[in-house]
Amino acid sequence: MNHSRHLWGQGRTAFGGISAAVCFQAAQNLIVDQRTPRSFHCNFIGPVTCGEPLKVTAEILRTGKNVTQIVASVLQNDRVCVMAQICFGISRGSILHKPDTTKHALTVPKKVTSYLKFQSLFLSLYNILNSRWRRAVYP
């Protein structure tokens, strides 16, 4: 997160999503088996200033037969800025069956418009994303 303020920050702090992602990755690095994320709770306690050193920690609170509980933190200047609790668990069989019916009706676009055409209208973060508009309705 020692990147330029314009890319990863807004005002005096880094985007919350990048701070939460750093916590998640630190926690996921501690998982040694096939456990997948089951819950993620994140608290943004103070600003994470872009361009300043930070420390990311993760600690396993408990590992059981099915679930691992982890707490992860982002610290800057010896102060906690972000804290997350993440639960990873194994998949288990169930007698309940609910098929996934979430589908959309969108087709692959024939022509797409890049965000870069509108870069002055968006946060600078969009300049590094490889995204395209799906429909011709712009903000």
Side-chain angles (χ1 to χ4, degrees):
M1 296 236 319
N2 247 349
H3 295 289
S4 168
R5 176 184 302 265
H6 342 297
L7 295 179
W8 300 108
Q10 177 179 354
R12 67 183 182 142
T13 188
F15 290 113
I18 194 76
S19 300
V22 168
C23 285
F24 178 82
Q25 187 62 59
Q28 190 174 39
N29 288 346
L30 298 178
I31 300 298
V32 295
D33 57 14
Q34 299 299 315
R35 294 171 195 234
T36 58
R38 299 298 178 186
S39 67
F40 181 90
H41 302 277
C42 190
N43 291 307
F44 301 97
I45 298 163
V48 177
T49 305
C50 293
E52 289 188 19
L54 54 85
K55 180 181 179 183
V56 181
T57 64
E59 174 187 0
I60 295 175
L61 299 176
R62 181 178 186 279
T63 296
K65 185 171 74 171
N66 298 311
V67 176
T68 298
Q69 298 280 344
I70 298 175
V71 65
S73 304
V74 173
L75 298 97
Q76 202 169 51
N77 300 320
D78 296 323
R79 300 171 99 171
V80 176
C81 301
V82 181
M83 182 163 271
Q85 182 179 357
I86 305 102
C87 175
F88 293 87
I90 62 167
S91 296
R92 300 185 308 188
S94 174
I95 61 171
L96 301 176
H97 179 70
K98 183 173 184 329
D100 183 11
T101 58
T102 56
K103 296 185 181 191
H104 60 79
L106 298 175
T107 59
V108 176
K110 293 178 181 151
K111 179 183 175 188
V112 292
T113 303
S114 171
Y115 277 120
L116 298 179
K117 179 177 178 182
F118 305 98
Q119 73 185 53
S120 64
L121 300 175
F122 294 107
L123 299 171
S124 57
L125 175 67
Y126 287 106
N127 293 329
I128 61 171
L129 299 177
N130 185 13
S131 300
R132 302 289 186 257
W133 289 105
R134 173 60 180 96
R135 295 184 182 175
V137 179
Y138 309 111

